[in-house]
Amino acid sequence: MAVWFAATEVLAAVAASVASDALVAAAGAAARVALDLVVLSAGFVAGMADNTRLVASLVVMD
């Protein structure tokens, strides 16, 4: 009976470790996606600012 309890404790520890690793991996993936969105948004805003400056310079030239 003691062997059974020890085996279940080992299995529970392994399951907890696997679940923990999966949560860490999921959190890391979510953080990478969020960072990519921030970088893409910053690039979009910078591009829009460049377009605005270009249009403004064309309007001034006319």
Side-chain angles (χ1 to χ4, degrees):
M1 199 64 151
V3 172
W4 172 256
F5 287 125
T8 57
E9 285 184 21
V10 168
L11 288 176
V14 169
S17 176
V18 168
S20 174
D21 290 347
L23 286 174
V24 169
R32 282 191 299 276
V33 168
L35 181 60
D36 287 346
L37 289 175
V38 168
V39 169
L40 287 173
S41 297
F44 176 76
V45 169
M48 292 301 291
D50 286 344
N51 290 343
T52 302
R53 282 192 297 272
L54 175 64
V55 170
S57 69
L58 293 174
V59 169
V60 169
M61 287 175 55
D62 285 344

